Amino acid sequence: MWVLATAGHVDHGKSTLVRALTGMDPDRWAEERRRGMTIDLGFAWTALPSGGTVAFVDVPGHERFVPNMLAGVGPVPAALIVVGADEGWMPQSAEHLAALDALGVSYGLLAVTRADLADPGPALARARKEISATSLGEVEAVAVSGVSGAGLPELRAALDRLVARLPAPALDAPVRLWVDRSFTIRGSGTVVTGTLGGGRLRVGDQLELAATGQQVRVRGLHSLNAARVEVDAVARVAVNLRGVSRDRVARGDALLSPGRFRLTELLDVRLAGDPAADLPATLTLHVGSAAVPVRVRPLGPDTVRLRLSRPLPLLIGDRALLRDPGRHHVAGGVTVLDVDPPPLRRRGAAVARAAVLAGLDGRPDLAGELRRRHLVRAGELTRMGVRVAGPPVAGDWLADPAHWRALGARLTDEVARYGREHPLEPGVPVDVLRQRLGLPDRALVEALLRPPLRLRSGRVTAAVADALPDPVARAVERVRAEYGDRPFQAPEAHRLIDLGLGPREIGAAVRAGALLRLADNVVLLPGALDDAVRVLARLPQPFTLSAARQALGTTRRVAVPLLELLDRRGATRRLPDDAREVVAPPR
């Protein structure tokens, strides 16, 4: 199926033409039929000579109903522009064309209707001239009469040629179905309709309502008045929803693939048309079937920041339209450049931001987004419309390669600086490094570690111990001088203090391998363990604690933790009667 929207001035025969092509009346309301004027969106379809099907979204032509017209045109890839031969080019012809141009619609067909009432030549020439200056460019034109049927075969053939040129839809794309109607069917519940521009819908799919985030399930699908199990884009589709009441979903809402879109209230966009400086401070943004009031902040010559009155599920590269409802005219089309722009808090921030936006073209670019954002979660980029490729640096975090290398260098510098500032601490806490580097996740700190840095007990340190601070080194030397010939004698707590070895200094010396800690305030020189094994191996086996204490020439205060440490290291074995024996031979 292909889907086209009609466009054109009121009373130029859009609905009559659709009726003649399809045999269906697109005017749904009794009021429309009574007044002979389309007020809201209508829908009809027909088979083409090639066997394909084309569906029409018939839009109102009166200026009072332009918002309804935009709701129908927004999601549609091509347009059938209708101009009456008897009246020619008219104000709403121009506004509808401006809307198509602003939305970037580049496929279309011109139908000059009422060819039975006037010479179609002048209207055709003027319309072609106007259309050729827009995104549609040169379009095929057909003169037709919806009343007499003249030209209808030629129009059908032209429609066939048009749809054959339309790009294939992205069936693997996430679903974003802009809702243009919602109603209730007795026995079925809530039904919404829209134009499926990309992706695929299946019965049983779980979707998300953009306005509320509510999870809903597809209970049933209809397309072209037939029940379907699955519908591929592009298609007009009616979706029967389970889990939502009629008053919770309306035109301008959207059904979304869960987790694939970012709801945003702040956009940076490029404006096509009038200079940004001439825009009013408030306008209405039309995108999909939504119409949302926005506040406009000019940034550069053709870039502005829009603050939306309610969040919308938008992607980088989306096309939208700004309209001034008070002056009844299209202010310009916009291309979304950023759906998560940085705040502008500092003086000159707007100018700097404009310079960044000047280099963006609205095409999602992974390398560019990483370069600008430095670090970002893969899921966030996906929800912006950026295709993610390549492995993350940690978890689901992606990093700009240059920024990641710079972080690694800074990490090394910060570890060294912290060591100078806190020489007695066993490395830098990971959270301290995270804060100093401005990282959002401690996993990123761990991912940055490269030898000689290593992580131990939540702290980062160098794999090779640095030299002890001079005061600690001097204190250790005094211990060595006093106890070198008494390797199993441990300084008393008060003597350690006299030597300048408090708990932090002892910790630093132990980490550096300059002292051996047996227990709190019980330290020996580092070779004491091997020496003890040699002494104990000469005792009759097994031996008692008392025998060990006497052989080592030490006190119970030292002997007990020393033997327990030898047990843990497997050098000695404690027997059931509390005696011990040497297991490892002396080195």
Side-chain angles (χ1 to χ4, degrees), residues 71-235:
V73 169
V76 173
L80 174 62
I81 303 168
V82 177
V83 178
D86 53 341
E87 289 189 341
W89 197 254
M90 295 290 284
Q92 292 313 120
S93 306
E95 184 166 13
H96 284 201
L97 180 61
L100 295 172
D101 184 39
L103 293 170
V105 177
S106 54
Y107 296 90
L109 179 64
L110 171 63
V112 177
T113 57
R114 302 187 176 186
D116 54 328
L117 301 180
D119 178 8
L124 189 149
R126 171 71 187 279
R128 269 185 159 168
K129 178 182 177 182
E130 298 288 344
I131 295 170
S132 65
T134 70
S135 60
L136 287 147
E138 298 291 337
V139 298
E140 187 173 355
V142 179
V144 65
S145 170
V147 176
S148 69
L152 286 181
E154 291 80 4
L155 180 58
R156 289 179 179 277
L159 286 168
D160 240 341
R161 289 189 290 273
L162 170 63
V163 298
R165 295 190 296 113
L166 294 179
L171 297 181
D172 60 345
V175 169
R176 179 175 53 174
L177 181 73
W178 292 101
V179 174
D180 51 40
R181 291 174 61 205
S182 65
F183 49 91
T184 301
I185 295 179
R186 180 175 296 180
S188 295
T190 301
V191 176
V192 301
T193 67
T195 299
L196 181 64
R200 174 180 286 127
L201 280 172
R202 299 182 181 88
V203 172
D205 280 355
Q206 183 168 295
L207 300 172
E208 187 175 278
L209 280 179
T212 62
Q214 181 180 350
Q215 300 290 309
V216 296
R217 194 168 293 281
V218 176
R219 182 179 183 181
L221 291 170
H222 274 70
S223 185
L224 306 185
N225 269 1
R228 312 276 180 171
V229 174
E230 178 178 292
V231 177
D232 290 347
V234 173

Side-chain angles (χ1 to χ4, degrees), residues 287-375:
V287 59
S289 62
V292 178
V294 297
R295 294 192 63 83
V296 181
R297 178 176 179 176
L299 297 175
D302 64 346
T303 52
V304 297
R305 176 159 293 187
L306 303 178
R307 186 171 294 279
L308 285 59
S309 62
R310 67 178 175 90
L312 292 176
L314 300 180
L315 302 172
I316 294 171
D318 276 344
R319 294 294 298 263
L321 178 149
L322 287 173
R323 185 170 183 268
D324 186 342
R327 294 164 59 188
H328 299 289
H329 82 102
V330 173
V334 299
T335 300
V336 176
L337 302 178
D338 196 339
V339 295
D340 184 24
L344 304 176
R345 297 194 182 101
R346 297 181 180 179
R347 189 181 186 91
V351 174
R353 180 60 178 165
V356 172
L357 296 177
L360 304 184
D361 59 7
R363 287 181 290 189
D365 171 29
L366 176 61
E369 290 298 327
L370 292 179
R371 188 166 56 251
R372 287 183 291 277
R373 299 179 190 278
H374 296 164
L375 287 164

